[in-house]
């Protein structure tokens, strides 16, 4: 195993180990500060982070606004307060060691306002901004305003080229590194393009080599590339270390920090990680963002798959094979389906899936009445946590505040499910964990095979970093 040496990041020498950002109360100040204290780069998430009351308990994010716009303002206020609180905790936990970065999703609702609000309220506590989930052209401008380094997340050389030519070339001195997030292996939302097959992962080496070649053309040969997605044992990546073709490489760990003493996720989530098998984490297209996302296969994802499978196309008038009349809703408004699909509908109704819900694609899905009411309630309660949401049809674009399409019942409220699973510390947490979105990288199954975690061992962040530095 090659020696793992320090790398210059944002003007400071640190271990080439970055904690990946995980949103909604998962990448906290305690975890990030502990990672930085161990010599690496810790990352707090600014995606609806927790703030705390006088007793030190998380403030429950309750929305009282009557309209989506009003609730959207409440959400931004919660996010800014939570981001500042987590930055303060990370600073105290790290005792000034290492680096503290803040992670933001560009397609998060009110992203720019949240970033600036946190940086204004936590001056000097955050050393860098990491940002992906979209094309964050204005990231460099915001970083320059506050004198911090920025770290765009891309999944291809082409994406970085567009960012550089349009904006980043003007603030090259603050570009601390470029995060290559592998679209097949990383947890959470991934940047697969329309030409890339989600079932056919590509070797990351040629993609990162192409990114480095492009960066050298821009005079960025010494700017670190941060490899994110699928990194577990560094001995499996030793050909990347001190590789002249790749240049300075740093490794990001997003999934492994989930299973540490400092990780805030519920115990049921941690125990589920220890039982995963290869194939239990996979890419899906159910996210309201429209991106692919990588998550643990559980009852939550199974219900979404089944929801989409109970789906038929319809027309408002008899056309072609769509000649079988079917009444939708309480008023039984007629639509027309094929005779074969009408047989399917009758079979689903016999199983209790009697609620027909229209999708934006002129199809009907069939769910139970209880599920149908839950879907509608979640859509009505939307607080605009995304810049655009296909589930609720919210858009933060004025003046319509709508994406112009019908709300899509095949998706889900991502804010609700992530808040629920992150805070499920009660006696029913196993049930809650199974019935909510559980993000994870596609290598998460390795918790169950890595001897480091034998007998259910859960390390501290310090112990994990020490283990990673051995190569295994």
């Amino acid at each position: 195993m090659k020696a793992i040496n320090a790398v210059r990041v944002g003007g400071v020498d640190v271990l080439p180990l970055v904690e990946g950002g995980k949103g909604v109360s998962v990448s906290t100040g305690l975890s990030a500060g502990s990672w930085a204290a161990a010599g690496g780069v810790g990352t707090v998430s600014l995606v609806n982070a927790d703030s705390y009351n006088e007793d030190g308990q998380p403030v429950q994010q309750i929305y009282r606004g009557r309209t989506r716009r009003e609730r959207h303002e409440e959400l931004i206020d919660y996010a800014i307060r939570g981001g500042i609180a987590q930055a303060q905790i990370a600073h105290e936990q790290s005792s000034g060691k290492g680096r503290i970065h803040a992670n933001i999703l560009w397609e998060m609702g009110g992203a720019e306002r949240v970033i600036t609000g946190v940086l204004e309220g936590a001056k000097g506590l955050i050393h860098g901004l990491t940002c992906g989930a979209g094309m964050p052209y204005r990231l460099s401008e915001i970083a320059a305003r506050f004198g911090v380094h920025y770290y765009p997340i891309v999944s291809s050389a082409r994406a970085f080229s567009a960012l550089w030519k349009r904006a980043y070339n003007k603030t090259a001195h603050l570009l601390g590194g470029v995060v290559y997030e592998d679209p097949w292996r990383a947890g959470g939302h991934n940047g697969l393009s329309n030409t890339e097959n989600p079932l056919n992962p590509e070797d990351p080496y040629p993609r990162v080599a192409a990114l480095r070649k492009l960066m050298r053309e821009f005079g960025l040969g010494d700017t670190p590339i941060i490899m994110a997605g699928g990194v577990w044992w560094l001995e499996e990546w030793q050909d990347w270390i001190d590789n002249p073709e790749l240049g300075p490489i740093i490794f990001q760990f997003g999934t492994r920090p989930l299973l540490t003493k400092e990780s805030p996720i519920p115990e049921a989530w941690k125990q589920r990680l220890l039982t995963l098998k290869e194939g239990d984490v996979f890419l899906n297209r159910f996210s309201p963002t429209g991106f692919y996302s990588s998550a643990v296969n559980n009852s939550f994802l199974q219900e979404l798959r089944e929801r989409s499978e109970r789906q038929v196309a319809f027309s408002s008038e008899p056309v072609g094979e769509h000649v079988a009349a079917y009444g939708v809703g309480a008023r039984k408004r007629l639509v027309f389906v094929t005779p074969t699909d009408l047989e399917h509908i009758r079979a689903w109704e016999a199983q209790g899936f009697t609620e027909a819900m229209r999708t934006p694609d002129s199809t009907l899905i069939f769910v139970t009445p209880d599920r149908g009411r839950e879907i509608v309630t979640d859509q009505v309660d939307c607080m605009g946590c995304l810049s655009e949401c296909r589930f609720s049809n919210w858009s933060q674009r004025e003046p319509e505040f709508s994406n112009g399409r019908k709300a899509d019942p095949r998706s889900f409220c991502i804010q609700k499910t992530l808040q629920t699973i992150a805070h499920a510390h009660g006696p029913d947490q196993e049930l809650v964990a199974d019935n909510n979105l559980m993000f994870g990288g596609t290598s998460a199954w390795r918790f169950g095979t890595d001897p480091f975690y034998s007998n259910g061992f859960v390390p501290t962040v310090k112990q994990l970093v020490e283990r990673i530095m051995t190569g295994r």
Side-chain angles (χ1 to χ4, degrees), residues 345-418:
I345 291 171
R346 298 308 183 201
W348 295 330
E349 289 179 332
Q351 297 171 38
F353 303 106
T354 57
E355 185 73 18
M357 306 190 77
R358 299 173 188 255
T359 79
D361 301 318
S362 296
T363 64
L364 299 173
I365 66 165
F366 290 81
V367 297
T368 64
D370 285 347
R371 181 67 70 186
R373 284 190 288 271
E374 179 185 12
I375 290 171
V376 172
T377 297
D378 289 346
Q379 290 171 335
V380 171
D381 289 345
C382 174
M383 71 293 289
C385 71
L386 301 173
S387 62
E388 294 201 18
C389 176
R390 68 177 186 173
F391 174 67
S392 69
N393 85 356
W394 157 268
S395 172
Q396 65 185 24
R397 291 176 297 177
E398 298 184 30
E400 298 86 359
F401 296 99
S402 168
N403 62 16
R405 304 191 75 201
K406 293 181 180 178
D408 194 336
R410 294 169 296 188
S411 190
F412 57 92
C413 177
I414 195 166
Q415 174 75 195
K416 173 188 171 183
T417 187
L418 293 181

Side-chain angles (χ1 to χ4, degrees), residues 243-258:
N243 184 318
E245 182 179 24
L246 298 181
I249 291 289
I250 297 173
F251 297 96
Q252 179 168 301
F253 296 82
T255 298
R256 291 192 72 173
L258 287 171

Side-chain angles (χ1 to χ4, degrees), residues 3-24:
I4 303 171
N5 300 312
V7 175
R8 195 98 178 141
V9 178
V12 177
D13 290 334
V14 296
L15 297 179
L17 310 178
V18 174
E19 177 193 18
K22 299 165 288 294
V24 187

Side-chain angles (χ1 to χ4, degrees), residues 39-219:
V41 178
T43 304
V44 296
S45 172
L46 302 188
V47 184
N48 302 111
D50 281 338
S51 56
Y52 304 94
N53 60 25
E54 294 179 354
D55 297 325
Q57 298 300 311
V59 173
Q60 189 175 1
Q61 296 187 12
I62 299 173
Y63 296 88
R64 297 180 172 84
R66 297 183 61 185
T67 68
R68 289 181 176 182
R69 288 187 63 183
E70 291 173 349
R71 294 192 292 273
H72 183 61
E73 292 301 314
E74 293 177 83
L75 175 129
I76 291 173
D77 183 64
Y78 279 130
I80 292 173
R81 291 175 183 271
I84 293 170
Q86 298 305 327
Q88 292 170 336
I89 293 170
H91 176 73
E92 294 170 1
Q93 184 70 16
S94 66
S95 300
K97 298 179 182 178
R99 303 284 289 177
I100 299 296
H101 290 180
N103 176 256
I104 194 77
L105 306 181
W106 197 249
E107 295 303 329
M108 178 185 115
E112 291 187 54
R113 292 174 60 190
V114 173
I115 295 172
T116 54
V118 173
L119 290 177
E120 287 171 352
K123 290 182 178 178
L125 305 185
I126 294 173
H127 309 119
L129 294 176
T130 304
C131 187
M135 294 294 282
Y137 293 109
R138 287 172 50 79
L139 178 65
S140 58
E141 179 184 328
I142 296 170
R145 191 189 317 168
F146 291 93
V148 299
H149 289 80
Y150 62 101
Y151 302 80
I153 300 173
V154 299
S155 57
S156 67
R158 180 181 178 183
F160 179 71
S161 179
L163 291 168
W164 175 263
K165 292 176 180 178
R166 179 168 169 177
Y168 294 174
N169 66 88
K170 302 171 187 175
T171 50
H173 64 292
L174 288 177
L175 180 64
V178 179
V179 182
Y180 168 77
E181 185 176 74
D182 190 86
W184 290 276
R185 297 168 178 82
H189 290 102
N190 296 359
L192 279 170
S193 71
N194 292 331
T195 61
E196 292 166 334
N197 186 344
L199 302 178
N200 186 26
E202 295 182 13
D203 181 357
Y205 186 96
R207 296 170 68 93
V208 173
L211 174 60
R212 175 59 73 192
K213 180 181 178 182
L214 178 72
M215 290 173 64
R216 287 193 172 112
E217 293 175 6
F218 298 152

